[in-house]
Amino acid sequence: MKIGLFDSGIGGTTILNTIKTILPNEEYQYIADSKNCPYGEKSDQELQNIVTRNVEALKNWGAKIIVIACNTATTRCISYLRSQYPDIHFVGTEPAIKLATNTNAQNILVMATPGTIESERLQTLLEENQKSNQTITLLACPGLADLIEQNYQSNNLAPIANYLKQLFKNLDTKPDVIVLGCTHYSLIKNQIQSFFRTIQLIDGNSGVAARVKELVQK
Ligand code: DGL
């Protein structure tokens, strides 16, 4: 089965790797669209044009399943893509709000791009899943995905550490769980964890991989 994936760069490789561990024998094509990074700071119209180009390229390659390995593109564009390409199975990546609210955490912190934080889909996920005893703090991280894109592969981690230090210094309460609502942030799990040693970091990668496996088996 031909499975296509795209993201604004290297973030979605964390999803690709998770899928490959449970589906090692499929054919994969991954678009690392770094020239358009960051997606999280683009308008709906700009994003729709960008994701359409990616989907066209993957469709021409023969993809039957396309994984949107990006929370921003999923929360902002998956409905649009499904309406434009009814023959393709799209699997989206969403902030793992459901997983986080199903733990007994009371303080949940959601880190994501400004585009994801402002999306209607995120509001719906909160309305559907938040429990009455839970506080969920939404933390937009403008520029962080781009910083990871520019520095992660050359192992230049200092700018990322400085960014995180500034970001977390203004938090009022220590979270019990952090949702990594951008695939780029999964790459820097260890760095984020070093600020909050004992707390759980959650991303949606395993859920995406499980959904792809289900579709392949069908
Ligand atoms: N990795 C993406 C996400 O999951 C997009 C980051 C960006 O380009 O802003 O949201």
Side-chain angles (χ1 to χ4, degrees), residues 7-8 11-12 37-41 69-73 113 116 145 181-184:
D7 180 33
S8 62
C37 186
Y39 284 3
E41 284 146 70
C70 170
N71 294 260
T72 312
T113 67
T116 298
C182 166
T183 52
H184 279 77

Side-chain angles (χ1 to χ4, degrees), residues 33 84 88 97-98 103 117 125 127 142-143 148 163-164 179:
D33 186 17
Q84 298 299 305
I88 292 180
I97 303 289
K98 192 170 182 179
T103 65
I117 296 287
L125 284 171
E127 280 158 26
I148 296 167
Y163 182 104
L164 293 175
V179 175

Side-chain angles (χ1 to χ4, degrees), residues 21 36 44 47 71 84 100 107 113 121 123 166 168 182 212:
T21 57
N36 288 308
D44 281 343
L47 263 186
N71 294 260
Q84 298 299 305
N107 287 309
T113 67
R121 181 63 193 148
Q123 282 313 316
Q166 294 305 317
F168 294 139
C182 166
V212 173

